[in-house]
Structure formats: C-alpha cells, structure tokens
Amino acid sequence: MRVVALISGGKDSTYNMIQCVQHGHEIIALANLHPKKDIDELDSYMYQSVGHEIIDLLAKAMELPLYRAEIKGDAQTINKEYDQPVNGDEVEDLYELLVEIKDKHAVDAVSVGAIFSEYQNNRVANVCQRLNLQVLAYLWQRNQQELLNEMIDSNIHAILIKTAALGLFPKEHLGKTIAEMRPVLEKLADKYGINVCGEGGEFETLTLDCSLFKHHRIVLDQVKTIISSSDSIAPVGYLKIEKAHLELKQCM
C-alpha cells in the first residue's frame, strides 16, 4: 500500500515506518503537526512537539515530501473514545492535514507509532475511517522491552530530547542515545515501574539516523537545555535545538 507516515521525529514513528517498509508498503509522504511559532513545546495529548525544529531535516534525509500544519486546536474532549468530529479539537488539525495530502497523492494507509495510548489510537482511527484510509500500527500493544531492543538492534540512532519521570534527570540524561539509556531505563522499570519506551510520557526521543535515511544523517550543532520543572524528585527538561545540519553518511 501507499503510505503517508505521521512523524513526530521520535523513535516510535521511525520504527513503525521501518516496519511498514519491511511489510512491503511504500512510504510516499510524511505528515507532521507542529506548535505555533515561538513555542518549543506544546502540552498536547496527541502530538510530540519537542524537536519539531528539525522535522524538515528528517524529511530531507528520507528524501520524501513533507506536509506540515500548525496545531490550532486543543483537547476539547479527553474521553478515551472519539466517535464524532469535535470543533476546535486538535484531532481535526490532523484530519485537515490528511485531506490536503490525499488531494495531492494516491494514499491507501497511514503509519502511526502508537504503542499503548488508546486515546491517540482511537483518534487516529477515527480520522482514517472518515478518509477511508487504513491504519498501520505495527507497534500497537507490543511488549515495550522487546520493542526497545528491536529499535536498538535495527540501528535507530535516537536520543532523549525530553525527560519527565522519577529517576531521569535532564542534565544527566538528555542527549544520550536509547542504546546508552537502555540499562538505565531497565533499572528504573524494575524500581519504579516506568515504561522503557516512554509510553507513559517518561521521556521523548529524536531520531538522528536510521535505515530510512538515504544518504545523510542529522547532526545537532547547538542545543540548549530547558528546565520546565526543577522538582528535586522528578525534574522535567528538554533540549531546544538551535542549530542542526545534514551530514553525509560514511560508507561502511
């Protein structure tokens, strides 16, 4: 099938795209929802916004057309189900973006990196049903430890770009790769019960390289650590990317 991939820049949407390709589908376009200008991070139930500054580099690395839209709505309803369109809801921003893409491309399905969030999954399913598109969510309800291992084994080079959990510290853990963080995350899962894939909002990631990047990888030149909450037990922080570029991959 011809697929448009919903991307946040993180490891989950990246790995689901890899799974789509491995299952014989063709990714023909990328779609991303971003916050309003001058907003680094948006408190959204639906979308990851940290790292949105370099989504265009990700698309260039994949050599695919990118369609972006501003998140204008918010969560008008936080019920798990989403059976009918709700005016002013952020879900409708996704609907409008996919309508635009369908007008320009023959699309059969949408790639979604959801793992356990029924809130997100139900809303994407509603939008796709209205547009007669199939949802491809190969990560859905899979064991998170297995997924993390598979992502690392598939050579996804993703770093932590936000931390928001007990045992994770912005100044210590931001910028580290998921491979570097695996033993830390496993320890915290045993100790505090966190989700090793960050599905509970414990952390968010940014993919700098993967098998879908054709010839280039993303290099971060200048980043700034922003502390959103200095709570002594579970501080919250993220990386604001101020400068980045594409670098030619080294031939192996």
Side-chain angles (χ1 to χ4, degrees), residues 147-247:
L147 278 177
L148 181 62
N149 293 339
E150 288 178 13
M151 291 174 188
I152 293 170
D153 290 344
S154 66
N155 294 319
I156 291 178
H157 181 74
I159 62 168
L160 268 63
I161 194 171
K162 179 182 177 181
T163 57
L166 183 66
L168 291 178
F169 303 98
K171 293 182 180 179
E172 181 180 350
H173 297 129
L174 288 177
K176 289 193 173 182
T177 67
I178 55 175
E180 292 172 324
M181 286 299 298
R182 175 164 50 185
V184 176
L185 296 172
E186 291 172 346
K187 182 178 179 179
L188 293 177
D190 291 337
K191 191 172 183 179
Y192 301 123
I194 76 162
N195 299 289
V196 294
C197 275
E199 187 67 2
E202 294 91 345
F203 64 91
E204 292 179 356
T205 61
L206 184 66
T207 300
L208 302 180
D209 194 11
C210 70
S211 60
L212 299 180
F213 289 10
K214 303 294 186 182
H215 303 103
H216 295 83
R217 63 185 183 93
I218 299 172
V219 176
L220 303 183
D221 301 305
Q222 188 173 337
V223 298
K224 183 178 180 180
T225 300
I226 306 295
I227 304 299
S228 307
S229 169
S230 56
D231 183 274
S232 60
I233 298 176
V236 179
Y238 64 92
L239 294 181
K240 175 179 174 57
I241 302 170
E242 298 183 331
K243 187 178 180 182
H245 72 277
L246 289 179
E247 180 177 272

Side-chain angles (χ1 to χ4, degrees), residues 137-154:
Y138 291 105
L139 282 54
W140 182 241
Q141 294 188 334
R142 289 211 36 213
N143 178 279
Q144 290 192 45
Q145 182 66 66
E146 292 179 0
L147 278 177
L148 181 62
N149 293 339
E150 288 178 13
M151 291 174 188
I152 293 170
D153 290 344
S154 66

